[in-house]
Amino acid sequence: MIRSKECEREHLNNITVDKMSLPLGEVVRSATTDFVAVSHQLYGSPPIGSLVKCGGTTVVYGVVGEVVTQSLDPGRRPTAMGTEEETVESVYRNNPQLERLYATEFQSISVGYFVDGVVNRHIAPLPPKIHDHVYLCEADEVEDFSQSLEFLRSILSAPFGSPDDVLSSFLRTTSQIRIDGESFLVDAGKFLAVLLNGQPQRLSAILKRLSL
């Protein structure tokens, strides 16, 4: 059941990033359409399709679209170190310096923002600030944000990662959170049919990922 604007505003009015317990990372590159964050823990990124948020007075929402782990020194490529190790865990355990040589980054597609008690499902007028903490949205926030699907346009048009896989992952995860999970996926499928009118193969591939 779709909540009224008044209920949504009342439910979200006190949401700020300060209420989240631990940040996942912090913003190192920021634009109106997307932002990149470095994870505070190596391999500590949320999976693609996750709804995240950052910011202060204006909270910017993003959907994780790509995750990269690489050397902190762009001119130094990692070399094989596991010839005498049985598992990758033992490689890191016996070479603790690796935690300081690599970093995990995740790039998020900007899909909306929260300001003055209202959730807006389009890009914010201004991007997040560099060093803003990034938090994983909790289940109730994901449910509320997904009451309208207009932001799916932003995911489909993302110029990085695999937008269709990101969108499918977001929808599947959200359907598991919502009480009306099955009908939510059906409604999403109908909405995508309008957005992807003239792209039947792309639509069909996405719907198969959603098992519709």
Side-chain angles (χ1 to χ4, degrees):
M1 180 174 63
I2 297 178
R3 298 180 183 180
S4 66
K5 287 288 185 182
E6 291 75 15
C7 289
E8 180 183 77
R9 182 176 301 182
E10 180 180 355
H11 182 75
L12 294 173
N13 194 45
N14 294 320
I15 291 178
T16 64
V17 293
D18 295 330
K19 297 212 172 187
M20 296 297 293
S21 55
L22 292 174
L24 298 171
E26 60 184 84
V27 176
V28 295
R29 188 183 69 77
S30 180
T32 52
T33 55
D34 64 277
F35 53 91
V36 176
V38 171
S39 175
H40 284 163
Q41 291 186 339
L42 187 63
Y43 304 116
S45 168
I48 63 168
S50 300
L51 186 67
V52 296
K53 65 180 181 179
C54 60
T57 303
T58 298
V59 176
V60 177
Y61 291 100
V63 173
V64 177
E66 190 168 38
V67 180
V68 177
T69 298
Q70 58 190 354
S71 172
L72 287 171
D73 182 354
R76 185 174 181 178
R77 184 177 179 179
T79 58
M81 302 184 66
T83 54
E84 297 182 0
E85 305 289 352
E86 294 184 357
T87 65
V88 67
E89 289 77 17
S90 64
V91 172
Y92 283 92
R93 184 171 56 251
N94 294 327
N95 298 275
Q97 76 279 5
L98 295 179
E99 297 279 347
R100 300 187 297 274
L101 296 178
Y102 309 141
T104 298
E105 296 183 353
F106 54 98
Q107 187 172 5
S108 300
I109 306 158
S110 295
V111 293
Y113 64 101
F114 174 81
V115 65
D116 295 332
V118 178
V119 172
N120 302 274
R121 296 171 181 85
H122 49 268
I123 62 173
L126 292 172
K129 296 178 180 178
I130 299 295
H131 299 302
D132 263 340
H133 282 168
V134 180
Y135 300 82
L136 184 66
C137 289
E138 296 187 353
D140 59 340
E141 293 177 81
V142 176
E143 182 176 4
D144 282 307
F145 192 81
S146 63
Q147 294 299 323
S148 172
L149 297 174
E150 288 294 329
F151 64 94
L152 296 185
R153 301 174 188 269
S154 298
I155 301 177
L156 287 172
S157 61
F160 58 88
S162 177
D164 295 357
D165 287 313
V166 172
L167 182 140
S168 300
S169 179
F170 172 83
L171 292 176
R172 286 197 307 269
T173 301
T174 302
S175 70
Q176 294 170 2
I177 291 173
R178 295 174 60 106
I179 297 176
D180 60 342
E182 289 189 17
S183 61
F184 168 76
L185 286 181
V186 172
D187 290 342
K190 293 178 180 177
F191 189 76
L192 289 172
V194 176
L195 294 182
L196 297 176
N197 182 31
Q199 301 181 63
Q201 292 183 338
R202 187 180 185 188
L203 174 63
S204 178
I206 294 175
L207 295 182
K208 285 181 180 178
R209 291 183 177 91
L210 300 177
S211 298
L212 291 177

